[in-house]
Amino acid sequence: MKLDFWPKNTHVFLVGAGGASMSSLAFLLRAGGYAVSGSDSRASERTAKLEEAGVRVHIGHAAENIEGADAVAASSAVPQDAPELLAAKERGISVYSRAELLSLVAGCFRHTVAFAGCHGKTTATAMCAHVFAACGADPSAHIGGEDLDYGNFRAGGSGWFVTEACEYRANFLQLRPETAVILNTDADHLECYAGPAALAEAYERFARGAKQCILCGDDPAAARIPAALTFGLSERCAVSAANLRQSGGRYSFTLRLRGQPCGRVRLRAFGRHNVYNALAAASAAFLCGFPPELIVRGLQEFRGVRRRFEPLGRFCGADCIADYAHHPREIEAAMEAVRVRKGGRLIVVFQPHTYSRTRLLFEDFVRVLSRAEHLVVYKTFPAREYFDAAGSALTLSQSLPRSLYIETPRELEIYLRCSLRPGDAVLFLGAGDIYTAARRLLGAKL
């Protein structure tokens, strides 16, 4: 791959380099020939990988970190008064947002496929990268999670670029992909929009900014947005799954492209929701002209993404699974996937992600989580936000009579040791540090 939006000797500094998207961009910039360094508030597995790849990462924020930098970029989670950003502005160094940087990278490729939606972006993007690779396209990819084979990026050729497109703060409108894929339009990040109608309009603008659009035909947005292709489980969709079967939580189906059966797909990732992700990836490959038999092969080569229904091991005789679900619909899908797979008791440990999401979708969270017979609500992961009692984990727990509120990993360990029995399943849900707590509980290497 070749990146040429800056001169060859440009040194770019990334603030928040340890984030999923920012670290992916760091790897891609490095592979494209630029000098890259960055900073983050804490050391992590990602910052360690960046260091191994030759990207110097400062732990802690300070103005002197940007010494020698020609350009600075920052993630949305970084406050505008971060020392590196203030220093860059004082010195006249160009500052870019994460979305602007992603747009610059995407512009270097002949073809870009961008996946948007409230849920499924990471998995569908990773699936698509595998499909395009199986088709011989040698794609480059920007993945917002850890694909079990690629990690969070793939540095391939300069022909095809596959990326996530995030609706947070309408960041996806910075992209002008050749192919836009809209997985779903469920309400999320409403703190950034005037309401659901404004969010829907943003999706429409994203679709109009692309040369061609692919939509989930089972989503309400399909009726509003013109699409070159639709996918879904209903027969009216151009790309669909026939003869859907399930075994141990994994699904298989006959892929149908414009009504024609094209082979049997056996997914290795768990959950019915991944059928939709697979259909989205297949739709992108089909619309881009790749052979159906290779599309089927690529879907079956995809093994999964870390923290997306990831088996962690056993604790006190119970199977432990981690999932990134932090939206009511995602929680619902994860719980269904466990129940299909196992017949024993299900203990759900859910960590709310941001106070605003919990407050704005409070009734939906209560509706979905009330179905859990054994529920722990773990202290909110605030991310970029300040405390808000109306959207706190404690307030949510108080609205769920059968739930237990827990604040620390030690309390969680004591509860599980006293409660679990062989044959149970524990589902750790959330996009925050509950994953770290769960892995440490099981003694997994971080």
Side-chain angles (χ1 to χ4, degrees), residues 64-262:
E64 56 267 26
N65 289 344
I66 67 167
E67 194 66 39
D70 302 301
V72 173
S75 75
S76 299
V78 174
Q80 290 301 302
D81 60 354
E84 293 94 336
L85 298 185
L86 295 178
K89 292 170 184 175
E90 288 174 3
R91 301 174 194 181
I93 300 172
S94 297
V95 176
Y96 300 83
S97 68
R98 182 206 64 85
E100 289 170 334
L101 180 57
L102 176 59
S103 180
L104 289 173
V105 170
C108 294
F109 295 84
R110 292 191 296 277
H111 311 282
T112 296
V113 180
F115 288 83
C118 174
H119 6 264
K121 292 187 293 292
T122 295
T123 301
T125 300
M127 279 184 171
C128 189
H130 280 271
V131 170
F132 278 33
C135 293
D138 191 24
S140 295
H142 163 260
I143 304 169
E146 299 290 327
D147 178 272
L148 295 181
D149 293 303
Y150 298 149
N152 66 349
F153 81 106
R154 187 183 193 275
S158 297
W160 293 93
F161 185 59
V162 181
T163 182
E164 295 189 27
C166 182
E167 76 278 13
Y168 178 65
R169 292 185 180 176
N171 283 335
F172 59 177
L173 298 183
Q174 297 282 348
L175 289 169
R176 290 293 185 268
E178 180 178 62
T179 304
V181 185
I182 299 179
L183 302 168
N184 43 69
T185 60
D186 289 352
D188 196 14
H189 295 305
L190 292 180
E191 75 279 12
C192 304
Y193 295 90
L199 175 60
E201 182 191 6
Y203 277 110
E204 292 178 30
R205 290 174 60 193
F206 172 68
R208 289 197 301 268
K211 291 184 178 179
Q212 55 190 7
C213 181
I214 296 169
L215 283 173
C216 176
D218 299 337
D219 188 273
R224 300 190 303 268
I225 303 174
L229 206 62
T230 59
F231 67 90
L233 297 183
S234 57
E235 293 182 0
R236 67 177 180 273
C237 297
V239 178
S240 61
N243 304 314
L244 195 64
R245 299 287 184 272
Q246 176 280 131
S247 177
R250 290 187 172 97
Y251 283 77
S252 64
F253 58 90
T254 299
L255 178 64
R256 294 175 65 87
L257 302 175
R258 296 201 187 278
Q260 298 300 312
C262 298

Side-chain angles (χ1 to χ4, degrees), residues 18 42-46 306-307 310 312 315 320-324 349 351 378-379 381 408-410 412-413 416 428-446:
R42 63 183 181 86
S44 66
E45 186 177 351
R46 287 198 185 101
R306 277 180 63 183
R307 209 170 171 178
E310 178 188 352
L312 296 179
F315 184 73
C320 295
I321 300 162
D323 195 271
Y324 200 69
V349 180
Q351 180 184 41
Y378 193 80
K379 186 178 181 179
F381 187 80
T408 68
R410 178 58 178 160
L412 180 61
E413 178 182 359
L416 292 177
F428 296 94
L429 299 176
D433 56 7
I434 187 62
Y435 181 66
T436 302
R439 291 184 69 187
R440 285 179 176 161
L441 186 68
L442 275 77
K445 184 178 179 182
L446 293 170

